[in-house]
Short mmCIF file of all heavy atoms in Angstrom, two decimals:
data_model
loop_
_atom_site.label_atom_id
_atom_site.label_comp_id
_atom_site.label_asym_id
_atom_site.label_seq_id
_atom_site.Cartn_x
_atom_site.Cartn_y
_atom_site.Cartn_z
N LYS E 30 137.04 50.18 92.37
CA LYS E 30 135.74 50.45 91.70
C LYS E 30 134.73 49.33 91.75
O LYS E 30 133.56 49.45 92.04
CB LYS E 30 135.97 50.95 90.22
CG LYS E 30 135.82 52.47 90.14
CD LYS E 30 135.90 52.75 88.64
CE LYS E 30 135.35 54.18 88.42
NZ LYS E 30 135.56 54.52 87.01
N SER E 84 128.44 60.83 133.16
CA SER E 84 127.43 60.34 132.19
C SER E 84 128.01 59.60 131.11
O SER E 84 127.50 58.51 130.64
CB SER E 84 126.60 61.42 131.74
OG SER E 84 127.44 62.32 130.99
N GLU E 104 119.55 49.92 129.75
CA GLU E 104 120.13 49.15 128.75
C GLU E 104 119.10 48.98 127.50
O GLU E 104 119.49 49.10 126.35
CB GLU E 104 120.49 47.73 129.28
CG GLU E 104 120.90 46.75 128.19
CD GLU E 104 122.31 46.45 128.31
OE1 GLU E 104 123.13 47.41 128.36
OE2 GLU E 104 122.72 45.28 128.37
N LEU E 155 139.10 86.28 102.91
CA LEU E 155 139.41 86.43 104.33
C LEU E 155 140.82 85.76 104.63
O LEU E 155 141.68 86.39 105.30
CB LEU E 155 138.35 85.75 105.18
CG LEU E 155 138.51 85.75 106.70
CD1 LEU E 155 138.44 87.16 107.26
CD2 LEU E 155 137.54 84.84 107.35
N CYS E 240 118.52 66.12 113.43
CA CYS E 240 117.47 65.15 113.76
C CYS E 240 118.01 63.75 113.92
O CYS E 240 117.66 62.78 113.25
CB CYS E 240 116.45 65.15 112.53
SG CYS E 240 115.02 64.22 112.83
N ILE E 272 97.76 92.59 108.70
CA ILE E 272 98.35 92.26 107.39
C ILE E 272 97.35 92.92 106.43
O ILE E 272 96.32 92.45 106.30
CB ILE E 272 98.67 90.82 107.13
CG1 ILE E 272 99.90 90.38 107.93
CG2 ILE E 272 98.94 90.66 105.64
CD1 ILE E 272 100.31 89.03 107.67
N ILE E 313 109.07 90.16 107.20
CA ILE E 313 107.83 90.40 108.01
C ILE E 313 107.82 91.94 108.43
O ILE E 313 106.71 92.54 108.32
CB ILE E 313 107.73 89.45 109.12
CG1 ILE E 313 107.51 88.05 108.65
CG2 ILE E 313 106.65 89.86 110.00
CD1 ILE E 313 107.55 87.02 109.74
N SER E 388 93.50 82.04 123.47
CA SER E 388 94.51 82.82 122.90
C SER E 388 94.07 83.40 121.52
O SER E 388 94.82 84.20 120.96
CB SER E 388 95.75 81.98 122.76
OG SER E 388 95.48 80.75 122.24
N GLU E 411 92.61 80.54 102.33
CA GLU E 411 92.27 80.24 101.01
C GLU E 411 91.28 81.26 100.46
O GLU E 411 91.51 81.76 99.32
CB GLU E 411 91.67 78.84 100.81
CG GLU E 411 92.55 77.73 100.88
CD GLU E 411 93.13 77.42 102.34
OE1 GLU E 411 92.51 77.86 103.28
OE2 GLU E 411 94.23 76.88 102.43
N LEU E 422 91.13 89.90 89.33
CA LEU E 422 90.23 89.75 88.23
C LEU E 422 89.37 91.00 88.09
O LEU E 422 89.11 91.50 86.99
CB LEU E 422 89.35 88.50 88.47
CG LEU E 422 90.01 87.18 87.87
CD1 LEU E 422 89.10 86.06 88.22
CD2 LEU E 422 90.11 87.29 86.42
N VAL E 497 40.53 102.77 5.33
CA VAL E 497 39.49 101.76 4.88
C VAL E 497 39.56 101.49 3.42
O VAL E 497 39.58 100.36 3.00
CB VAL E 497 38.10 102.22 5.35
CG1 VAL E 497 37.01 101.34 4.71
CG2 VAL E 497 37.99 102.20 6.83
N VAL E 505 36.93 91.97 4.13
CA VAL E 505 35.97 90.95 4.64
C VAL E 505 36.71 89.83 5.37
O VAL E 505 36.26 89.41 6.41
CB VAL E 505 35.20 90.36 3.31
CG1 VAL E 505 34.23 89.33 3.77
CG2 VAL E 505 34.73 91.42 2.42
N LEU E 533 34.59 80.77 43.10
CA LEU E 533 33.67 81.68 43.71
C LEU E 533 32.25 81.29 43.40
O LEU E 533 31.57 81.93 42.61
CB LEU E 533 33.93 83.09 43.31
CG LEU E 533 35.30 83.67 43.66
CD1 LEU E 533 35.59 84.91 42.82
CD2 LEU E 533 35.30 84.01 45.14
N PRO E 551 44.24 93.44 38.04
CA PRO E 551 45.03 92.17 38.13
C PRO E 551 45.64 92.18 39.58
O PRO E 551 46.40 91.19 39.88
CB PRO E 551 46.07 92.29 37.06
CG PRO E 551 46.18 93.72 36.77
CD PRO E 551 44.96 94.38 37.12
N TYR E 588 43.89 78.27 34.68
CA TYR E 588 42.49 77.79 34.65
C TYR E 588 42.36 76.55 33.84
O TYR E 588 41.63 75.64 34.07
CB TYR E 588 41.58 78.87 34.14
CG TYR E 588 41.44 80.05 35.07
CD1 TYR E 588 41.27 81.28 34.60
CD2 TYR E 588 41.56 79.83 36.46
CE1 TYR E 588 41.23 82.34 35.55
CE2 TYR E 588 41.41 80.82 37.36
CZ TYR E 588 41.22 82.12 36.89
OH TYR E 588 41.11 83.16 37.79
#
Side-chain angles (χ1 to χ4, degrees):
Chain E
K30 257 188 163 177
S84 62
E104 173 108 309
L155 176 71
C240 188
I272 288 181
I313 289 170
S388 47
E411 283 75 20
L422 269 175
V497 171
V505 184
L533 296 162
Y588 292 146

